[in-house]
Amino acid sequence: KRKECDDMDDSKIIELYMERSEQAISETSKKYGRYCHYIAYSILHNDEDSEECVNDTYLRAWNSIPPKRPSKLQTFLGKITRNLSLNKWEKLSAEKRGAGILDELSECIPAEQDAVNTVENMVIRDVLDRFLDELPAETRKIFVRRYFYMSPVKEIADEYGLSESKVTVTLFRTRGKLKSVLEKEGITL
């Protein structure tokens, strides 16, 4: 296991991007390659497709920095990887839309249909951020692990020392609370 102190500081990695140094990609890969692969693999369940998304993440970061200067490089890379992976998953499973983990959330959050929904999506994002801020830490971690990182229930249970049924019930109840909060805000399916 490589020690964190061996990793280059994020601000130095970002400076490499700003200077257009190709070393930025190798340093990003060293520090965040496993993290990005974890996100991609959690969604795609395929090493080859996951690697492709991780490499595309590096390209997207290269093309975005500059002009962007992310305040949290890990979060920036995680979002890119997640979005690329979800897009790839959607292409690969077009005939099975809405299946699996994303289907669990569909009872709370409406699917994006067109550009008209952009403002509503911004409102939903704001409500979701406030909702997550108000959750107990353990519940928030479980929710984020499941619906942002797409982690399997068993993995979440093992990570937090909980039973799978406890995780499943927590997710079910949290989705119910989210649905109520969204409805109070006037957001319905």
Side-chain angles (χ1 to χ4, degrees), residues 26 92 102 107 161:
S26 61
L92 295 172
L102 297 177
E107 65 192 49

Side-chain angles (χ1 to χ4, degrees), residues 38-139:
Y38 172 82
I39 293 170
Y41 192 85
S42 293
I43 295 168
L44 298 168
H45 304 288
N46 177 291
D47 276 318
E48 187 176 311
D49 291 337
S50 298
E51 268 314 305
E52 182 181 329
C53 284
V54 171
N55 289 329
D56 288 348
T57 297
Y58 302 150
L59 178 62
R60 185 82 50 97
W62 179 262
N63 291 332
S64 299
I65 309 170
K68 289 184 182 174
R69 184 182 280 269
S71 59
K72 295 191 186 263
L73 185 59
Q74 181 177 12
T75 303
F76 179 75
L77 296 169
K79 286 180 182 180
I80 292 172
T81 305
R82 182 177 186 273
N83 290 337
L84 290 170
S85 300
L86 287 171
N87 289 341
K88 183 145 194 89
W89 176 82
E90 194 170 292
K91 283 181 189 174
L92 295 172
S93 61
E95 70 279 357
K96 297 188 274 183
R97 287 195 196 281
I101 296 172
L102 297 177
D103 195 38
E104 293 174 17
L105 276 181
S106 70
E107 65 192 49
C108 305
I109 300 176
E112 186 174 343
Q113 296 170 5
D114 55 38
V116 175
N117 292 327
T118 301
V119 172
E120 185 171 296
N121 289 337
M122 289 169 57
V123 171
I124 290 171
R125 201 168 327 169
D126 181 56
V127 171
L128 186 57
D129 284 344
R130 283 186 279 127
F131 174 76
L132 290 171
D133 284 343
E134 293 172 6
L135 288 176
E138 181 179 83
T139 303

Side-chain angles (χ1 to χ4, degrees), residues 139-171:
T139 303
R140 182 176 51 251
K141 288 175 186 174
I142 291 169
F143 193 85
V144 169
R145 281 292 303 271
R146 181 69 172 161
Y147 300 118
F148 183 83
Y149 293 108
M150 306 294 199
S151 299
V153 169
K154 180 174 181 11
E155 186 177 300
I156 298 167
D158 291 346
E159 169 114 2
Y160 296 111
L162 304 169
S163 68
E164 288 182 48
S165 67
K166 165 88 170 152
V167 171
T168 302
V169 168
T170 299
L171 291 167

